[in-house]
Amino acid sequence: MTVAYDGTDLAGWQIQPQDRSVQGMIEEALKIITKQAIRVIGSGRTDAGVHARGQVAHFRFSPLDHFKVCHSLNGLLPSSIRILEMAPAHPDFHAQLSAIGKEYHYHLCCSDIVLPFDRRYVWHFRHKIDIALLAEAARQFVGEHDFSAFSNAPGHGSHLKHYVRTLYRLDVIQEGKNVRLEFFGNGFLYKMVRNITGMLVAIAIGRRSIDDIQKVFASKDRRMAECAAPPEGLCLMRVVYPERLLSPS
Amino acid sequence: MTVAYDGTDLAGWQIQPQDRSVQGMIEEALKIITKQAIRVIGSGRTDAGVHARGQVAHFRFSPLDHFKVCHSLNGLLPSSIRILEMAPAHPDFHAQLSAIGKEYHYHLCCSDIVLPFDRRYVWHFRHKIDIALLAEAARQFVGEHDFSAFSNAPGHGSHLKHYVRTLYRLDVIQEGKNVRLEFFGNGFLYKMVRNITGMLVAIAIGRRSIDDIQKVFASKDRRMAECAAPPEGLCLMRVVYPERLLSPS
């Protein structure tokens, strides 16, 4: 299933004992519908405050009337979480382990004023940004790298064997006084997008040099990089899977 | 000054003894800045839940450093309210009485699912809508009419001498499964946009006939029309004034 959520008032994707998490609320709703405790597996966790337009998750249950269950889920879930579609997948499909690509967008607002309608979805960044420098710095992240220095809490995700990832694209798109960073890669370490964004912005305002990027990569030391950008600017746009796993047989 | 606000958690424009209103919060912030009680006059009230991208208001105070006061106001106001600009006007300028035009947009979402990011800004309308019929019905509202039957509580606004208004445009714009109604007129009675939208939608789903519009106009009876569309779909986009009143001299 494809899931969209406004992360503002949610405790992130992963189930929490106390707080309202996306996974927790979907599992709760599924339990009401199926009368069974069903584990829902997402493509990866997103932190509290992070949004999604195309999170992907799976669960095992059959037989299932997908349209009916999707409709019932949306009836039970708060309006901040919506199941956009639900379809049967291949028996080998696994939302996390089968993923071969992910796209994240990070939204910066560099205007004096953030419109009230945008306030939950952008990082309001009051300093003047050098866009050309930002784009030049962004290009240095594209390709295969050991991203250890841009990951918080190494080993945080239990399936991370190493820290090498490939970033296929990191595009800098300016729209008026807003800037959107588009990340597309084969996988992302914990807080990697927000840590890279924090570093890029530090360079774009002149606090760090563009030459620092290679030094930070080489150090493999999280402390050499910059603070993570805040969660509200981040949105998980889509998760890519091999075509053959997207249909039941 | 031009003011934008997300009306979701606000009690509307007009000052209320208990609730958080836009006028009330701006006056409170102005009092902190100027140490004086200053009355802020808007172009008109907007109801609880209604949004604005271009509400206009004025107050009398001099001398005033506009940039500084604008900046300070935004620092004191919640992020759901933003002063987009502030400039000195002609002594004769009056935000309500000088207005010669207003534009409102009403947003309908006719999809099964409303994206979490849109949920505060659209009327989620689950029935299938006949767009051609909606557009045809909308054209009947354009021009000069006595809108009594489409106004709640006649005489509600103390400056309303009569109920004749001119609607210059009422455009129906389809964007995917969303529909935007663009109203531009010389003035609007209380709840007029929401009442017209309610009537248009009743026609577009076949509950009312298009011929009823002229009958309702002729009746001048609010009870002959339909329920008002909900506030969350409505946004005040701009207020138009004579050019000469927009500069100090």
Side-chain angles (χ1 to χ4, degrees), chain A residues 24 34 64 70 74 118 136 143 148 159 162 195 202 209 216 232 234:
Chain A
T34 63
L64 191 76
C70 185
N74 283 327
D118 296 336
E136 192 189 333
S148 311
H159 294 283
H162 55 75
N195 286 337
S209 154
V216 174
E232 62 267 25
L234 185 59

Side-chain angles (χ1 to χ4, degrees), chain A residues 48-169:
Chain A
V50 172
H51 314 289
R53 285 179 182 262
Q55 169 69 289
V56 175
H58 80 268
F59 60 92
R60 295 184 185 278
F61 189 80
S62 68
L64 191 76
D65 180 336
H66 304 91
F67 292 106
K68 204 170 154 186
V69 169
C70 185
H71 188 79
S72 303
L73 275 177
N74 283 327
L76 290 165
L77 289 165
S79 58
S80 56
I81 305 174
R82 278 293 167 266
I83 313 298
L84 302 184
E85 66 174 330
M86 187 182 285
H90 194 278
D92 293 344
F93 179 86
H94 186 287
Q96 188 190 354
L97 302 178
S98 309
I100 52 173
K102 271 188 184 181
E103 182 159 351
Y104 283 97
H105 289 182
Y106 196 96
H107 300 90
L108 294 166
C109 175
C110 309
S111 169
D112 281 348
I113 295 161
V114 176
L115 277 180
F117 315 99
D118 296 336
R119 72 194 195 279
R120 294 180 172 87
Y121 312 117
V122 299
W123 179 16
H124 188 197
F125 194 79
R126 289 156 199 272
H127 298 267
K128 204 174 148 56
I129 275 188
D130 182 333
I131 296 287
L133 191 57
L134 184 67
E136 192 189 333
R139 279 193 292 276
Q140 301 222 11
F141 284 92
V142 176
E144 189 182 87
H145 300 279
D146 181 322
F147 283 98
S148 311
F150 296 98
S151 167
N152 281 35
H156 183 96
S158 56
H159 294 283
L160 304 179
K161 292 197 194 76
H162 55 75
Y163 307 105
V164 175
R165 294 290 182 279
T166 302
L167 204 54
Y168 303 124
R169 287 200 294 114

Side-chain angles (χ1 to χ4, degrees), chain A residues 4-7 9 51-53 70-71 74 79-85 112-121 126 235, chain B residues 4-7 9 51-53 70-71 74 79-85 112-121 126 235:
Chain A
Y5 43 90
D6 177 333
D9 302 318
H51 314 289
R53 285 179 182 262
C70 185
H71 188 79
N74 283 327
S79 58
S80 56
I81 305 174
R82 278 293 167 266
I83 313 298
L84 302 184
E85 66 174 330
D112 281 348
I113 295 161
V114 176
L115 277 180
F117 315 99
D118 296 336
R119 72 194 195 279
R120 294 180 172 87
Y121 312 117
R126 289 156 199 272
C235 187
Chain B
Y5 43 90
D6 177 333
D9 303 317
H51 315 290
R53 286 178 181 264
C70 185
H71 187 79
N74 283 327
S79 58
S80 56
I81 305 174
R82 279 292 167 268
I83 312 298
L84 302 184
E85 64 174 328
D112 280 349
I113 295 161
V114 176
L115 277 181
F117 316 100
D118 297 335
R119 71 193 195 278
R120 294 181 172 85
Y121 312 117
R126 289 155 198 273
C235 187

Side-chain angles (χ1 to χ4, degrees), chain A residues 141 147 150 167 170 183 192-200:
Chain A
F141 284 92
F147 283 98
F150 296 98
L167 204 54
L170 204 182
F183 295 77
M192 183 171 138
V193 175
R194 289 167 56 193
N195 286 337
I196 294 175
T197 302
M199 185 76 188
L200 286 175

Side-chain angles (χ1 to χ4, degrees), chain A residues 158-218:
Chain A
S158 56
H159 294 283
L160 304 179
K161 292 197 194 76
H162 55 75
Y163 307 105
V164 175
R165 294 290 182 279
T166 302
L167 204 54
Y168 303 124
R169 287 200 294 114
L170 204 182
D171 294 337
V172 176
I173 291 151
Q174 190 171 13
E175 284 182 336
K177 289 196 170 175
N178 291 348
V179 177
R180 185 171 71 245
L181 304 174
E182 298 190 356
F183 295 77
F184 181 53
N186 65 353
F188 291 86
L189 301 164
Y190 185 55
K191 288 211 179 167
M192 183 171 138
V193 175
R194 289 167 56 193
N195 286 337
I196 294 175
T197 302
M199 185 76 188
L200 286 175
V201 164
I203 292 166
I205 62 167
R207 192 170 68 218
R208 292 288 291 256
S209 154
I210 199 163
D211 301 327
D212 286 358
I213 297 172
Q214 296 308 326
K215 290 178 198 156
V216 174
F217 268 132

Side-chain angles (χ1 to χ4, degrees), chain A residues 32-45:
Chain A
I32 292 169
I33 296 166
T34 63
K35 319 285 182 210
Q36 289 184 34
I38 295 173
R39 171 94 320 171
V40 171
I41 314 258
S43 73
R45 63 183 67 184

